[in-house]
Coordinates of all heavy atoms in Angstrom, one line a residue:
S1 N 16.6 -20.9 9.3 CA 15.4 -21.8 8.7 C 16.0 -22.9 7.7 O 17.1 -22.7 7.3 CB 14.5 -20.9 7.9 OG 15.2 -20.4 6.6
P2 N 15.3 -23.9 7.5 CA 15.8 -25.0 6.7 C 16.2 -24.5 5.2 O 17.2 -24.8 4.7 CB 14.6 -26.0 6.6 CG 13.9 -25.8 7.9 CD 14.0 -24.3 8.1
R3 N 15.3 -23.7 4.6 CA 15.6 -23.1 3.3 C 16.8 -22.3 3.4 O 17.6 -22.3 2.4 CB 14.4 -22.3 2.8 CG 14.6 -21.8 1.4 CD 14.8 -22.9 0.4 NE 13.7 -23.9 0.4 CZ 12.8 -23.8 -0.5 NH1 12.8 -23.0 -1.5 NH2 11.8 -24.8 -0.5
G4 N 17.0 -21.5 4.4 CA 18.2 -20.6 4.5 C 19.4 -21.5 4.6 O 20.4 -21.2 4.0
R5 N 19.3 -22.6 5.3 CA 20.5 -23.5 5.3 C 20.7 -24.1 3.9 O 22.0 -24.4 3.6 CB 20.3 -24.7 6.4 CG 20.3 -24.0 7.8 CD 20.1 -25.1 8.9 NE 19.7 -24.6 10.2 CZ 20.6 -23.9 10.9 NH1 21.9 -23.9 10.6 NH2 20.3 -23.4 12.0
Q6 N 19.7 -24.4 3.2 CA 19.9 -25.0 1.9 C 20.6 -24.0 1.0 O 21.5 -24.3 0.2 CB 18.5 -25.3 1.2 CG 17.9 -26.6 1.7 CD 16.6 -26.8 1.0 OE1 16.0 -25.8 0.5 NE2 16.1 -28.0 1.1
I7 N 20.3 -22.8 1.1 CA 20.8 -21.7 0.3 C 22.3 -21.6 0.7 O 23.2 -21.5 -0.2 CB 20.1 -20.3 0.4 CG1 18.7 -20.5 -0.1 CG2 20.9 -19.3 -0.2 CD1 17.8 -19.3 0.3
L8 N 22.6 -21.5 1.9 CA 24.0 -21.4 2.4 C 24.9 -22.6 1.9 O 26.1 -22.5 1.7 CB 24.1 -21.2 3.9 CG 23.5 -19.9 4.4 CD1 23.6 -19.9 6.0 CD2 24.2 -18.7 3.8
A9 N 24.3 -23.7 1.9 CA 25.0 -24.9 1.5 C 25.4 -24.8 0.1 O 26.4 -25.5 -0.4 CB 24.1 -26.2 1.7
R10 N 24.7 -24.0 -0.8 CA 25.1 -23.9 -2.1 C 26.1 -22.8 -2.3 O 26.5 -22.5 -3.4 CB 23.8 -23.5 -3.0 CG 22.9 -24.7 -3.1 CD 21.7 -24.4 -3.9 NE 22.0 -24.0 -5.3 CZ 21.2 -23.8 -6.2 NH1 19.9 -23.9 -5.9 NH2 21.5 -23.6 -7.4
L11 N 26.5 -22.1 -1.2 CA 27.5 -21.0 -1.3 C 28.7 -21.3 -0.4 O 29.0 -20.6 0.5 CB 26.8 -19.8 -0.9 CG 25.6 -19.3 -1.7 CD1 24.8 -18.2 -1.1 CD2 25.9 -18.9 -3.2
P12 N 29.3 -22.4 -0.6 CA 30.5 -22.7 0.3 C 31.5 -21.7 0.3 O 31.8 -21.2 -0.8 CB 31.0 -24.1 -0.3 CG 30.5 -24.1 -1.7 CD 29.2 -23.4 -1.7
G13 N 32.1 -21.4 1.4 CA 33.2 -20.5 1.5 C 32.8 -19.0 1.6 O 33.6 -18.1 1.8
V14 N 31.4 -18.8 1.4 CA 31.0 -17.4 1.4 C 30.9 -17.0 2.9 O 30.3 -17.7 3.7 CB 29.6 -17.3 0.7 CG1 29.0 -15.9 1.0 CG2 29.7 -17.4 -0.8
P15 N 31.5 -15.8 3.2 CA 31.4 -15.3 4.6 C 29.9 -15.0 5.0 O 29.2 -14.4 4.2 CB 32.2 -14.1 4.7 CG 32.8 -13.9 3.3 CD 32.2 -14.8 2.4
V16 N 29.5 -15.4 6.2 CA 28.2 -15.3 6.6 C 28.2 -14.3 7.9 O 29.0 -14.6 8.8 CB 27.5 -16.6 6.9 CG1 26.1 -16.3 7.6 CG2 27.4 -17.5 5.7
T17 N 27.4 -13.4 7.9 CA 27.3 -12.5 9.1 C 25.9 -12.5 9.7 O 24.9 -12.2 8.9 CB 27.7 -11.0 8.7 OG1 28.9 -11.0 8.1 CG2 27.6 -10.1 9.9
E18 N 25.7 -13.0 10.8 CA 24.4 -13.1 11.5 C 24.0 -11.7 12.0 O 24.9 -11.0 12.6 CB 24.4 -14.1 12.5 CG 24.4 -15.6 11.9 CD 24.0 -16.6 13.0 OE1 23.2 -16.3 13.9 OE2 24.7 -17.6 13.0
V19 N 22.8 -11.3 11.7 CA 22.3 -10.0 12.2 C 21.0 -10.2 12.9 O 20.3 -11.2 12.7 CB 22.2 -9.0 11.1 CG1 23.6 -8.6 10.6 CG2 21.4 -9.5 9.9
A20 N 20.6 -9.3 13.7 CA 19.4 -9.5 14.4 C 18.2 -9.4 13.6 O 17.1 -9.9 13.8 CB 19.3 -8.4 15.6
G21 N 18.2 -8.6 12.5 CA 17.1 -8.4 11.6 C 17.6 -8.0 10.2 O 18.8 -7.5 10.1
H22 N 16.8 -8.1 9.2 CA 17.3 -7.8 7.8 C 17.1 -6.4 7.5 O 17.5 -6.0 6.4 CB 16.6 -8.7 6.8 CG 15.1 -8.6 6.8 ND1 14.5 -7.5 6.1 CD2 14.1 -9.3 7.3 CE1 13.2 -7.6 6.2 NE2 12.9 -8.7 7.0
W23 N 16.6 -5.6 8.4 CA 16.3 -4.2 8.2 C 17.3 -3.4 9.0 O 17.5 -3.8 10.2 CB 14.9 -3.9 8.6 CG 14.3 -2.6 8.1 CD1 13.9 -1.5 8.9 CD2 14.0 -2.2 6.8 NE1 13.5 -0.5 8.1 CE2 13.6 -0.9 6.8 CE3 14.2 -2.8 5.5 CZ2 13.2 -0.2 5.6 CZ3 13.9 -2.1 4.4 CH2 13.4 -0.8 4.5
R24 N 17.8 -2.4 8.5 CA 18.9 -1.6 9.2 C 20.0 -2.4 9.7 O 20.3 -2.5 10.9 CB 18.2 -0.8 10.4 CG 17.2 0.2 9.9 CD 16.8 1.2 10.9 NE 15.8 2.1 10.4 CZ 14.5 1.9 10.4 NH1 14.0 0.8 10.9 NH2 13.7 2.8 9.9
I25 N 20.7 -3.1 8.8 CA 21.8 -3.9 9.2 C 23.0 -3.0 9.4 O 23.4 -2.2 8.5 CB 22.2 -4.9 8.0 CG1 20.9 -5.9 7.9 CG2 23.5 -5.7 8.3 CD1 21.1 -6.8 6.7
P26 N 23.6 -3.1 10.6 CA 24.8 -2.2 10.8 C 25.9 -2.5 9.8 O 26.1 -3.6 9.4 CB 25.3 -2.7 12.3 CG 24.1 -3.5 12.8 CD 23.3 -4.1 11.7
S27 N 26.6 -1.5 9.4 CA 27.7 -1.5 8.4 C 27.2 -1.6 7.0 O 27.9 -1.5 6.0 CB 28.8 -2.6 8.7 OG 28.2 -3.8 8.2
L28 N 25.9 -1.9 6.9 CA 25.3 -2.0 5.5 C 24.3 -0.8 5.3 O 24.5 0.1 4.3 CB 24.5 -3.2 5.3 CG 24.0 -3.5 3.9 CD1 25.2 -3.6 2.9 CD2 23.2 -4.8 3.9
H29 N 23.4 -0.6 6.2 CA 22.4 0.5 6.0 C 22.9 1.8 6.9 O 23.5 1.5 8.0 CB 21.1 0.0 6.4 CG 20.6 -1.0 5.6 ND1 20.0 -2.2 6.1 CD2 20.5 -1.2 4.2 CE1 19.6 -3.0 5.1 NE2 19.9 -2.4 4.0
G30 N 22.6 2.9 6.4 CA 22.8 4.1 7.2 C 24.2 4.6 7.1 O 24.6 5.5 7.8
N31 N 25.0 4.1 6.1 CA 26.3 4.6 5.9 C 26.4 5.3 4.5 O 26.4 4.6 3.5 CB 27.3 3.3 5.9 CG 28.7 3.7 5.5 OD1 29.0 5.0 5.3 ND2 29.5 2.7 5.3
D32 N 26.4 6.6 4.6 CA 26.3 7.3 3.3 C 27.5 7.1 2.5 O 27.5 7.4 1.3 CB 25.9 8.8 3.4 CG 26.9 9.6 4.2 OD1 28.0 9.0 4.6 OD2 26.6 10.8 4.4
G33 N 28.6 6.6 3.0 CA 29.8 6.2 2.2 C 29.5 5.0 1.3 O 30.3 4.9 0.3
N34 N 28.5 4.3 1.6 CA 28.2 3.2 0.7 C 27.6 3.6 -0.6 O 27.5 2.8 -1.5 CB 27.1 2.3 1.4 CG 27.8 1.3 2.3 OD1 29.0 1.0 2.3 ND2 27.0 0.7 3.3
I35 N 27.2 4.9 -0.8 CA 26.5 5.2 -2.0 C 27.5 5.0 -3.2 O 27.1 4.7 -4.3 CB 26.1 6.7 -2.0 CG1 25.1 6.9 -3.1 CG2 27.1 7.7 -1.9 CD1 23.8 6.1 -3.0
A36 N 28.8 5.2 -3.0 CA 29.8 4.9 -4.0 C 29.9 3.5 -4.4 O 30.5 3.1 -5.4 CB 31.2 5.5 -3.7
R37 N 29.5 2.6 -3.5 CA 29.6 1.2 -3.7 C 28.2 0.6 -4.0 O 27.9 -0.6 -3.9 CB 30.2 0.5 -2.5 CG 31.5 1.1 -2.1 CD 32.2 0.3 -1.0 NE 32.5 -1.1 -1.3 CZ 31.9 -2.2 -0.9 NH1 30.9 -2.1 -0.1 NH2 32.2 -3.4 -1.3
W38 N 27.3 1.4 -4.5 CA 25.9 1.1 -4.7 C 25.7 -0.2 -5.5 O 25.0 -1.2 -5.0 CB 25.2 2.2 -5.3 CG 23.7 2.1 -5.7 CD1 23.2 2.1 -6.9 CD2 22.6 2.0 -4.7 NE1 21.8 1.9 -6.8 CE2 21.5 1.9 -5.5 CE3 22.6 2.0 -3.3 CZ2 20.2 1.8 -4.9 CZ3 21.3 1.9 -2.8 CH2 20.2 1.8 -3.5
T39 N 26.3 -0.3 -6.6 CA 26.1 -1.5 -7.4 C 27.0 -2.7 -6.9 O 26.7 -3.8 -7.0 CB 26.4 -1.3 -8.9 OG1 27.7 -0.5 -9.1 CG2 25.3 -0.4 -9.5
R40 N 28.2 -2.3 -6.4 CA 29.1 -3.4 -5.9 C 28.4 -4.2 -4.8 O 28.4 -5.4 -4.7 CB 30.4 -2.9 -5.5 CG 31.4 -3.9 -5.0 CD 32.7 -3.4 -4.9 NE 33.4 -3.2 -6.2 CZ 33.9 -4.1 -7.0 NH1 34.0 -5.4 -6.6 NH2 34.4 -3.8 -8.2
I41 N 27.8 -3.5 -3.8 CA 27.1 -4.1 -2.8 C 26.0 -5.0 -3.3 O 25.8 -6.1 -2.7 CB 26.5 -3.0 -1.8 CG1 27.6 -2.4 -1.0 CG2 25.5 -3.7 -0.8 CD1 27.2 -1.2 -0.2
K42 N 25.3 -4.6 -4.4 CA 24.2 -5.5 -4.9 C 24.8 -6.8 -5.5 O 24.1 -7.8 -5.5 CB 23.5 -4.7 -6.0 CG 22.7 -3.6 -5.5 CD 22.1 -2.8 -6.7 CE 21.3 -1.6 -6.2 NZ 19.9 -1.7 -6.5
S43 N 26.0 -6.7 -5.9 CA 26.6 -8.0 -6.5 C 27.4 -8.8 -5.5 O 27.7 -9.9 -5.7 CB 27.6 -7.6 -7.7 OG 28.7 -6.9 -7.2
E44 N 27.6 -8.2 -4.3 CA 28.5 -9.0 -3.3 C 27.7 -9.4 -2.1 O 28.1 -10.3 -1.4 CB 29.5 -8.0 -2.8 CG 30.7 -7.7 -3.8 CD 31.7 -6.8 -3.2 OE1 31.4 -6.2 -2.1 OE2 32.8 -6.7 -3.8
T45 N 26.5 -8.8 -1.9 CA 25.7 -9.1 -0.7 C 24.3 -9.7 -1.0 O 23.6 -9.2 -1.8 CB 25.6 -7.8 0.1 OG1 26.8 -7.2 0.4 CG2 24.8 -8.1 1.4
L46 N 24.0 -10.8 -0.4 CA 22.7 -11.4 -0.4 C 22.2 -11.4 1.1 O 22.9 -11.9 1.9 CB 22.7 -12.8 -0.9 CG 21.4 -13.6 -0.9 CD1 20.3 -12.9 -1.8 CD2 21.6 -15.0 -1.3
V47 N 21.1 -10.8 1.3 CA 20.5 -10.8 2.6 C 19.5 -11.9 2.7 O 18.5 -12.0 1.8 CB 19.9 -9.5 3.0 CG1 19.3 -9.5 4.4 CG2 21.0 -8.4 2.9
L48 N 19.5 -12.8 3.6 CA 18.6 -13.8 3.9 C 17.7 -13.5 5.1 O 18.3 -13.1 6.1 CB 19.1 -15.2 4.1 CG 20.0 -15.7 2.9 CD1 20.7 -17.0 3.3 CD2 19.2 -15.9 1.7
G49 N 16.5 -13.5 5.0 CA 15.6 -13.1 6.1 C 14.4 -14.0 6.2 O 14.1 -14.9 5.3
V50 N 13.7 -13.9 7.3 CA 12.4 -14.6 7.4 C 11.3 -13.5 7.5 O 11.4 -12.6 8.4 CB 12.4 -15.4 8.7 CG1 11.0 -16.0 9.0 CG2 13.5 -16.4 8.7
R51 N 10.4 -13.6 6.6 CA 9.3 -12.6 6.5 C 8.3 -12.8 7.7 O 7.8 -13.9 7.9 CB 8.6 -12.5 5.2 CG 7.5 -11.5 5.2 CD 6.8 -11.5 3.9 NE 7.5 -10.7 2.9 CZ 7.4 -9.4 2.8 NH1 6.7 -8.7 3.8 NH2 8.0 -8.7 1.9
Q52 N 8.2 -11.8 8.6 CA 7.4 -12.0 9.8 C 5.9 -11.7 9.5 O 5.1 -12.4 10.0 CB 7.8 -11.0 10.9 CG 9.4 -11.2 11.2 CD 9.6 -12.5 11.9 OE1 8.8 -13.0 12.5 NE2 10.9 -12.9 11.9
S53 N 5.7 -10.6 8.7 CA 4.3 -10.3 8.6 C 3.7 -10.8 7.3 O 4.3 -10.6 6.2 CB 4.1 -8.8 8.7 OG 3.8 -8.2 7.4
L54 N 2.7 -11.6 7.4 CA 2.1 -12.3 6.2 C 0.7 -11.7 6.1 O -0.3 -12.3 6.6 CB 2.1 -13.8 6.3 CG 3.5 -14.4 6.4 CD1 3.4 -16.0 6.6 CD2 4.3 -14.2 5.1
T55 N 0.6 -10.6 5.5 CA -0.7 -10.0 5.3 C -0.9 -9.6 3.8 O 0.0 -9.3 3.1 CB -1.0 -8.7 6.1 OG1 0.2 -7.8 5.9 CG2 -0.9 -9.0 7.6
T56 N -2.2 -9.7 3.4 CA -2.6 -9.3 2.0 C -3.6 -8.1 2.2 O -4.5 -8.3 2.9 CB -3.1 -10.4 1.2 OG1 -2.2 -11.5 1.1 CG2 -3.6 -10.0 -0.1
R57 N -3.2 -7.0 1.4 CA -4.1 -5.9 1.6 C -4.8 -5.6 0.3 O -4.2 -5.8 -0.8 CB -3.3 -4.6 1.9 CG -2.6 -4.7 3.2 CD -1.7 -3.4 3.5 NE -0.4 -3.6 2.8 CZ 0.0 -2.7 2.0 NH1 -0.7 -1.6 1.6 NH2 1.2 -2.9 1.4
P58 N -6.0 -5.1 0.2 CA -6.6 -4.7 -1.0 C -5.9 -3.5 -1.6 O -5.4 -2.7 -0.9 CB -8.1 -4.2 -0.5 CG -8.2 -4.7 0.8 CD -6.9 -4.9 1.4
N59 N -5.8 -3.5 -2.9 CA -5.0 -2.5 -3.6 C -6.0 -1.6 -4.4 O -6.3 -0.4 -4.1 CB -4.0 -3.0 -4.4 CG -3.1 -1.9 -5.1 OD1 -3.0 -1.9 -6.3 ND2 -2.6 -1.0 -4.3
G60 N -6.5 -2.2 -5.5 CA -7.5 -1.6 -6.3 C -6.9 -0.5 -7.3 O -7.7 0.1 -8.0
R61 N -5.7 -0.4 -7.4 CA -5.0 0.5 -8.4 C -4.4 -0.3 -9.5 O -5.1 -0.7 -10.4 CB -4.0 1.5 -7.7 CG -4.7 2.4 -6.8 CD -3.7 3.1 -5.9 NE -2.9 4.1 -6.7 CZ -1.9 4.7 -6.1 NH1 -1.5 4.5 -4.9 NH2 -1.2 5.5 -6.9
S62 N -3.1 -0.7 -9.4 CA -2.5 -1.4 -10.4 C -2.7 -2.9 -10.2 O -2.4 -3.7 -11.1 CB -1.0 -1.1 -10.5 OG -0.5 -1.4 -9.2
A63 N -3.3 -3.3 -9.2 CA -3.6 -4.7 -8.9 C -4.8 -4.8 -7.9 O -5.1 -3.8 -7.3 CB -2.4 -5.4 -8.3
D64 N -5.4 -5.9 -7.8 CA -6.5 -6.0 -6.8 C -6.0 -6.2 -5.5 O -6.7 -5.7 -4.5 CB -7.4 -7.3 -7.2 CG -8.1 -7.1 -8.5 OD1 -8.4 -6.0 -8.9 OD2 -8.3 -8.1 -9.2
W65 N -4.8 -6.8 -5.3 CA -4.3 -7.1 -4.0 C -2.8 -6.8 -3.9 O -2.2 -6.9 -5.0 CB -4.6 -8.6 -3.6 CG -6.0 -9.0 -3.6 CD1 -6.7 -9.6 -4.6 CD2 -7.0 -8.8 -2.6 NE1 -7.9 -9.8 -4.4 CE2 -8.2 -9.3 -3.1 CE3 -6.9 -8.3 -1.3 CZ2 -9.3 -9.3 -2.3 CZ3 -8.1 -8.3 -0.6 CH2 -9.3 -8.8 -1.0
I66 N -2.3 -6.5 -2.7 CA -0.9 -6.5 -2.5 C -0.6 -7.6 -1.5 O -1.0 -7.6 -0.4 CB -0.4 -5.2 -1.9 CG1 -0.8 -4.0 -2.8 CG2 1.1 -5.2 -1.6 CD1 -0.4 -2.6 -2.2
A67 N 0.1 -8.7 -2.1 CA 0.4 -9.8 -1.3 C 1.9 -9.7 -0.7 O 2.7 -8.9 -1.3 CB 0.3 -11.1 -2.2
P68 N 2.1 -10.5 0.3 CA 3.6 -10.4 0.8 C 4.6 -11.0 -0.2 O 4.3 -12.0 -0.8 CB 3.5 -11.3 2.1 CG 2.3 -12.2 1.9 CD 1.4 -11.4 1.1
G69 N 5.6 -10.3 -0.5 CA 6.6 -10.7 -1.5 C 7.6 -11.7 -0.9 O 7.8 -11.8 0.3
A70 N 8.2 -12.4 -1.8 CA 9.2 -13.4 -1.4 C 10.6 -12.7 -1.3 O 11.6 -13.4 -0.8 CB 9.3 -14.5 -2.4
S71 N 10.7 -11.5 -1.7 CA 12.0 -10.8 -1.7 C 11.8 -9.3 -1.7 O 10.7 -8.9 -2.0 CB 12.9 -11.2 -2.9 OG 12.3 -10.8 -4.0
N72 N 12.7 -8.6 -1.4 CA 12.7 -7.1 -1.7 C 14.2 -6.7 -2.1 O 15.1 -7.5 -2.1 CB 12.1 -6.3 -0.6 CG 12.9 -6.3 0.7 OD1 14.2 -6.4 0.7 ND2 12.2 -6.2 1.8
G73 N 14.4 -5.5 -2.3 CA 15.6 -5.0 -2.7 C 15.6 -4.9 -4.4 O 14.6 -5.2 -4.9
C74 N 16.7 -4.7 -4.9 CA 16.8 -4.5 -6.3 C 18.2 -4.7 -6.8 O 19.2 -4.3 -6.1 CB 16.3 -3.1 -6.7 SG 16.6 -2.6 -8.4
A75 N 18.3 -5.3 -8.0 CA 19.6 -5.6 -8.6 C 20.1 -4.6 -9.6 O 21.1 -4.7 -10.2 CB 19.6 -7.1 -9.1
M76 N 19.3 -3.7 -9.9 CA 19.5 -2.6 -10.9 C 20.3 -1.4 -10.3 O 20.6 -1.3 -9.1 CB 18.2 -2.2 -11.6 CG 17.4 -3.4 -12.0 SD 18.3 -4.5 -13.0 CE 18.2 -3.6 -14.6
A77 N 20.5 -0.5 -11.2 CA 21.3 0.7 -10.8 C 20.9 2.0 -11.4 O 21.6 2.6 -12.2 CB 22.8 0.4 -11.0
C78 N 19.6 2.3 -11.4 CA 19.1 3.5 -12.0 C 19.6 4.8 -11.4 O 19.7 4.9 -10.2 CB 17.5 3.6 -12.0 SG 16.8 2.1 -12.7
A79 N 20.0 5.7 -12.2 CA 20.6 6.9 -11.8 C 19.7 7.7 -10.9 O 20.1 8.4 -10.0 CB 21.3 7.8 -12.9
Y80 N 18.4 7.7 -11.2 CA 17.4 8.5 -10.5 C 16.8 7.8 -9.3 O 15.9 8.3 -8.6 CB 16.3 8.9 -11.5 CG 15.7 7.6 -12.2 CD1 14.8 6.9 -11.5 CD2 16.0 7.3 -13.5 CE1 14.2 5.8 -12.0 CE2 15.4 6.2 -14.0 CZ 14.6 5.5 -13.3 OH 14.0 4.4 -14.0
C81 N 17.4 6.7 -8.9 CA 16.8 5.9 -7.8 C 16.7 6.7 -6.5 O 17.6 7.2 -6.1 CB 17.6 4.6 -7.7 SG 16.8 3.5 -6.4
Y82 N 15.5 6.6 -5.9 CA 15.3 7.3 -4.6 C 15.5 6.4 -3.5 O 15.6 6.9 -2.3 CB 13.9 7.9 -4.5 CG 12.8 6.8 -4.4 CD1 12.4 6.3 -3.3 CD2 12.3 6.1 -5.6 CE1 11.5 5.3 -3.1 CE2 11.5 5.1 -5.5 CZ 11.0 4.7 -4.3 OH 10.1 3.6 -4.2
V83 N 15.7 5.1 -3.7 CA 15.8 4.1 -2.6 C 17.0 4.4 -1.7 O 17.0 4.2 -0.5 CB 15.8 2.7 -3.2 CG1 16.1 1.7 -2.1 CG2 14.5 2.4 -3.8
P84 N 18.2 4.8 -2.3 CA 19.3 5.0 -1.4 C 19.0 5.9 -0.2 O 19.4 5.6 1.0 CB 20.4 5.7 -2.2 CG 20.0 5.4 -3.6 CD 18.6 5.1 -3.6
R85 N 18.2 7.0 -0.4 CA 17.9 7.8 0.7 C 17.0 7.2 1.7 O 17.1 7.3 2.9 CB 17.3 9.1 0.2 CG 18.3 10.0 -0.6 CD 17.5 11.3 -1.0 NE 16.2 11.0 -1.6 CZ 16.0 11.2 -2.9 NH1 16.8 11.7 -3.7 NH2 14.8 10.8 -3.4
R86 N 16.0 6.4 1.2 CA 15.1 5.8 2.0 C 15.5 4.6 2.7 O 15.1 4.2 3.8 CB 13.8 5.5 1.3 CG 13.0 6.7 0.8 CD 11.7 6.3 0.1 NE 11.0 5.3 0.9 CZ 9.8 5.6 1.6 NH1 9.4 6.8 1.5 NH2 9.2 4.7 2.2
K87 N 16.5 3.9 2.1 CA 16.8 2.6 2.7 C 18.2 2.5 3.2 O 18.8 1.6 3.4 CB 16.7 1.5 1.6 CG 16.2 0.2 2.2 CD 15.8 -0.8 1.1 CE 15.7 -2.1 1.8 NZ 15.6 -3.2 0.8
G88 N 18.8 3.7 3.5 CA 20.1 3.7 4.1 C 21.3 3.5 3.3 O 22.3 2.8 3.7
Y89 N 21.2 3.8 2.0 CA 22.4 3.8 1.1 C 22.9 2.4 0.6 O 24.0 2.3 0.2 CB 23.6 4.6 1.7 CG 23.2 6.0 2.1 CD1 22.9 6.3 3.5 CD2 23.0 7.0 1.2 CE1 22.5 7.6 3.9 CE2 22.6 8.3 1.5 CZ 22.3 8.5 2.9 OH 22.0 9.8 3.2
A90 N 22.1 1.5 0.9 CA 22.4 0.1 0.3 C 21.1 -0.6 0.1 O 20.1 -0.5 0.9 CB 23.2 -0.7 1.3
N91 N 20.9 -1.3 -1.1 CA 19.7 -1.9 -1.4 C 19.9 -3.3 -2.0 O 19.5 -3.5 -3.3 CB 18.8 -1.0 -2.3 CG 17.4 -1.5 -2.4 OD1 16.9 -2.2 -1.5 ND2 16.8 -1.2 -3.5
P92 N 20.7 -4.2 -1.4 CA 20.9 -5.5 -2.0 C 19.6 -6.3 -2.0 O 18.6 -5.9 -1.3 CB 21.9 -6.1 -1.2 CG 21.7 -5.6 0.2 CD 21.2 -4.1 -0.1
I93 N 19.6 -7.4 -2.7 CA 18.4 -8.3 -2.6 C 18.3 -9.0 -1.3 O 19.3 -9.5 -0.7 CB 18.6 -9.5 -3.7 CG1 18.6 -8.8 -5.1 CG2 17.4 -10.4 -3.6 CD1 17.3 -8.2 -5.6
T94 N 17.1 -8.9 -0.7 CA 16.8 -9.6 0.5 C 15.8 -10.8 0.1 O 14.8 -10.5 -0.6 CB 16.1 -8.8 1.5 OG1 17.1 -7.8 2.0 CG2 15.7 -9.6 2.7
L95 N 16.2 -12.0 0.4 CA 15.4 -13.2 0.0 C 14.8 -13.7 1.3 O 15.6 -14.0 2.3 CB 16.3 -14.2 -0.6 CG 15.6 -15.3 -1.3 CD1 14.7 -14.9 -2.4 CD2 16.8 -16.2 -1.9
F96 N 13.5 -13.9 1.3 CA 12.9 -14.5 2.5 C 12.8 -15.9 2.4 O 12.3 -16.5 1.4 CB 11.4 -13.8 2.7 CG 11.4 -12.4 2.9 CD1 10.9 -11.5 2.0 CD2 12.0 -11.8 4.0 CE1 11.0 -10.1 2.2 CE2 12.1 -10.5 4.2 CZ 11.6 -9.6 3.3
T97 N 13.3 -16.6 3.4 CA 13.5 -18.1 3.2 C 12.3 -18.8 3.6 O 12.2 -20.0 3.4 CB 14.7 -18.5 4.1 OG1 14.5 -18.2 5.5 CG2 16.0 -17.8 3.5
N98 N 11.3 -18.2 4.2 CA 10.1 -18.9 4.6 C 9.1 -18.9 3.4 O 7.9 -18.5 3.6 CB 9.5 -18.4 5.9 CG 9.3 -16.9 5.9 OD1 9.9 -16.2 5.2 ND2 8.3 -16.5 6.7
I99 N 9.6 -19.3 2.2 CA 8.7 -19.1 1.0 C 7.5 -20.0 1.2 O 6.5 -19.7 0.6 CB 9.6 -19.5 -0.2 CG1 8.8 -19.3 -1.5 CG2 10.2 -20.9 -0.2 CD1 8.4 -17.9 -1.8
E100 N 7.6 -21.2 1.8 CA 6.4 -22.1 2.0 C 5.3 -21.3 2.7 O 4.1 -21.4 2.4 CB 6.8 -23.3 2.6 CG 7.7 -24.3 1.9 CD 9.1 -24.0 2.0 OE1 9.5 -23.0 2.7 OE2 9.9 -24.7 1.3
A101 N 5.7 -20.6 3.7 CA 4.6 -19.9 4.5 C 4.0 -18.8 3.6 O 2.8 -18.5 3.8 CB 5.2 -19.3 5.8
I102 N 4.9 -18.1 2.9 CA 4.4 -17.1 2.0 C 3.4 -17.5 1.0 O 2.4 -17.0 0.8 CB 5.6 -16.3 1.4 CG1 6.5 -15.6 2.5 CG2 5.1 -15.2 0.3 CD1 7.8 -15.1 2.0
T103 N 3.8 -18.6 0.3 CA 2.9 -19.1 -0.7 C 1.6 -19.8 -0.1 O 0.6 -19.7 -0.7 CB 3.6 -20.2 -1.6 OG1 4.2 -21.2 -0.8 CG2 4.7 -19.6 -2.5
A104 N 1.8 -20.3 1.1 CA 0.6 -20.8 1.8 C -0.4 -19.7 2.1 O -1.6 -19.9 1.9 CB 0.9 -21.6 3.0
H105 N 0.2 -18.6 2.5 CA -0.7 -17.5 2.8 C -1.4 -17.0 1.6 O -2.6 -16.7 1.6 CB 0.1 -16.4 3.4 CG -0.6 -15.0 3.4 ND1 -1.4 -14.6 4.5 CD2 -0.6 -14.0 2.5 CE1 -1.9 -13.5 4.2 NE2 -1.4 -13.0 3.0
V106 N -0.6 -16.8 0.4 CA -1.2 -16.4 -0.8 C -2.3 -17.3 -1.3 O -3.4 -16.9 -1.8 CB -0.1 -16.1 -1.8 CG1 -0.7 -15.8 -3.2 CG2 0.8 -15.0 -1.4
R107 N -2.0 -18.6 -1.2 CA -3.1 -19.6 -1.6 C -4.3 -19.4 -0.8 O -5.4 -19.5 -1.4 CB -2.4 -21.0 -1.4 CG -2.5 -21.9 -2.7 CD -1.9 -23.2 -2.5 NE -0.6 -23.3 -2.9 CZ 0.5 -23.6 -2.2 NH1 0.3 -24.0 -1.0 NH2 1.7 -23.6 -2.7
Ligands
LIG201 S1 14.7 2.9 -9.5 FE1 13.8 0.9 -9.1 S2 14.8 -0.5 -10.6 FE2 16.0 1.4 -10.5 S3 17.6 0.9 -9.0 FE3 15.9 2.0 -7.9 S4 14.6 0.4 -7.1 FE4 16.0 -0.6 -8.7

């Protein structure tokens, strides 16, 4: 995407690995050996993706609506985090580069 290319242009020399999807990336997700590198992966890896589903659902609990986010993942390192088990032992930031489509949907 054009925004993805803009981001890459600001990161000269950074190795880029193209993958079919940002979910279940081979060598990143599903490798329980990665748990020892939990925080290092967060500081070394940025996943760029295109959000496919743009839907807003009613919530009614902590918010009125749940809108599509511009990113997922987490840069923190809480000892009690349950995400490693659910997300395949790696949880770097994934940034969705189709931000214009996301904000247009929210608008
Ligand atoms: S518990 Fe939440 S804030 Fe802490 S590392 Fe896990 S996802 Fe991030």
